[in-house]
């Protein structure tokens, strides 16, 4: 009878956590009281959204209820990146707080029509003609900015909702981003005379055409999983200037719904 009751309580707890989808200090205490071993608690923390309290009193309470040193250390680490926040891209500050990078929409598409037409010819006056298509944002600097010297970002996804939370939709089809690997970080060219920023997304010449950001212009970054559908991105130290994260899946569409642009100052 006692064993049956314990199984019933365990199932009830699992269903409760699944519906909330956020693990807290109280969740850990409840798991300890229900007899979960340490490995199961750690796995649950690492695979779930979390909202931990790492104050001394809260950690003392965890220790009082039998949480191991490893579990408490994990709570302290995860509390820096509590996942009870909205889907999006954030810059990570020195105090571990997160500043949202609000997406912008490309206001125009610029292509040299004459060059594009002539590029279908092998030679024009003895020269090979190249055409470029550009996507542009208004203003020569972004409304989002991060301090020079910072080099980390947080990506939060929510693919279970089947909603395009990262605004990666294109006219031709809907794309649903689930990983930072689907984004490119690149530096934008600033046109002060025209008060805009731009990137080149298509190149065409006499013999070939390419779509997407030139790999030579893509800034590499490392990815660390820090929670369920949540990742910490580390990039090389960025120079002062204008940058953007752009979803690769929509680069070849007529328009890209949004781009996460920011300025390093």
């Amino acid at each position: 009878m006692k064993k049956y009751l314990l199984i019933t309580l365990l199932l009830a707890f699992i269903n409760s956590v699944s519906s909330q989808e956020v693990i807290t200090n109280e969740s850990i205490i409840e798991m300890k009281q229900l007899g979960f071993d340490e490995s199961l608690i750690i796995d649950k923390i690492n695979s779930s959204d979390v909202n931990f309290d790492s104050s001394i009193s809260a950690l003392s309470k965890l220790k009082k209820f039998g949480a191991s040193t490893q579990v408490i250390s994990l709570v302290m680490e995860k509390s820096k990146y509590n996942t009870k926040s909205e889907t999006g891209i954030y810059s990570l500050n020195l105090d571990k707080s997160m500043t949202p990078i609000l997406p912008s929409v490309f206001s125009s598409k610029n292509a040299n029509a004459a060059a594009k037409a002539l590029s279908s010819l092998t030679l024009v006056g003895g020269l090979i003609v190249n055409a470029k298509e550009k996507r542009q944002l208004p203003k020569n600097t972004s409304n989002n900015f991060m301090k020079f010297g910072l080099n980390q970002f947080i990506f939060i996804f929510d693919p279970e909702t089947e909603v395009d939370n990262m605004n990666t939709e294109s006219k031709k089809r809907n794309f649903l981003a689930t990983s930072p690997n689907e984004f490119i970080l690149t530096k934008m060219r600033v046109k002060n005379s025209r008060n805009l920023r731009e990137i080149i997304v298509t190149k065409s010449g006499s013999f070939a055409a390419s779509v997407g950001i030139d790999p030579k212009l893509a800034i590499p970054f490392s990815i660390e999983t820090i929670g369920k559908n949540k990742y910490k991105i580390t990039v090389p130290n960025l120079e002062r200037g204008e940058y953007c994260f752009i979803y690769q899946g929509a680069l070849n569409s007529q328009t890209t719904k949004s781009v996460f642009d920011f300025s390093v100052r």
Side-chain angles (χ1 to χ4, degrees):
M1 180 67 180
K2 186 176 180 180
K3 183 177 181 181
Y4 174 78
L5 179 60
L6 178 60
I7 293 174
T8 302
L9 289 173
L10 286 172
L11 290 174
F13 173 77
I14 292 171
N15 288 334
S16 173
V17 170
S18 296
S19 63
Q20 296 170 2
E21 296 187 8
V22 177
I23 300 297
T24 65
N25 295 48
E26 294 304 318
S27 303
I28 294 175
I29 292 173
E30 191 172 353
M31 283 189 280
K32 288 295 299 181
Q33 292 176 328
L34 291 173
F36 281 41
D37 63 36
E38 182 179 277
S39 62
L40 285 176
I41 294 175
I42 290 174
D43 286 345
K44 189 61 186 173
I45 292 173
N46 285 328
S47 63
S48 304
D49 286 335
V50 299
N51 189 25
F52 288 136
D53 180 356
S54 61
S55 63
I56 294 177
S57 60
L59 296 179
S60 297
K61 186 176 180 180
L62 285 175
K63 186 174 179 62
K64 178 181 177 181
F65 280 91
S68 68
T69 299
Q70 188 175 357
V71 169
I72 292 175
S73 296
L74 186 58
V75 168
M76 293 174 65
E77 178 64 24
K78 293 287 186 179
S79 68
K80 301 174 184 177
Y81 315 109
N82 279 336
T83 56
K84 198 174 181 180
S85 51
E86 296 181 358
T87 299
I89 299 177
Y90 301 78
S91 59
L92 187 61
N93 303 311
L94 289 175
D95 61 0
K96 302 303 181 183
S97 63
M98 301 189 304
T99 301
I101 298 178
L102 302 177
S104 301
V105 177
F106 285 119
S107 61
S108 60
K109 180 174 67 172
N110 179 284
N112 187 327
K116 193 171 184 179
L118 290 173
S119 66
S120 62
L121 302 176
T122 304
L123 294 174
V124 177
L127 298 175
I128 296 176
V129 177
N130 294 314
K132 298 177 181 179
E133 184 175 310
K134 306 168 185 175
R135 300 289 165 82
Q136 299 173 332
L137 290 176
K139 299 174 56 178
N140 57 15
T141 186
S142 174
N143 289 327
N144 304 306
F145 74 93
M146 61 186 297
K147 291 183 178 179
F148 175 74
L150 297 180
N151 67 334
Q152 292 186 320
F153 301 84
I154 300 295
F155 279 61
I156 303 176
F157 302 92
D158 191 7
E160 294 177 0
T161 63
E162 297 184 357
V163 175
D164 189 10
N165 293 300
M166 298 292 277
N167 296 316
T168 52
E169 182 183 35
S170 75
K171 285 186 176 180
K172 294 184 178 180
R173 58 173 292 194
N174 293 335
F175 297 88
L176 188 61
T178 59
S179 163
N181 278 323
E182 298 170 62
F183 288 79
I184 287 178
L185 173 60
T186 189
K187 190 171 185 179
M188 304 191 75
R189 296 200 305 179
V190 177
K191 298 288 186 178
N192 287 314
S193 60
R194 300 176 61 190
N195 193 30
L196 58 79
R197 292 156 289 150
E198 65 181 19
I199 58 173
I200 297 172
V201 297
T202 303
K203 290 183 179 180
S204 58
S206 301
F207 305 106
S210 62
V211 176
I213 303 297
D214 187 333
K216 296 178 182 179
L217 301 178
I219 299 171
F221 52 78
S222 61
I223 302 173
E224 176 188 351
T225 301
I226 59 174
K228 184 180 180 182
N229 301 318
K230 186 169 186 180
Y231 307 87
K232 181 168 71 173
I233 306 304
T234 302
V235 303
N237 289 329
L238 299 174
E239 301 175 348
R240 290 178 173 84
E242 302 298 315
Y243 299 85
C244 69
F245 284 103
I246 183 169
Y247 179 63
Q248 299 183 71
L251 280 174
N252 60 350
S253 65
Q254 289 294 341
T255 62
T256 300
K257 191 172 183 181
S258 62
V259 58
F260 294 85
D261 60 300
F262 62 94
S263 175
V264 175
R265 305 175 189 173

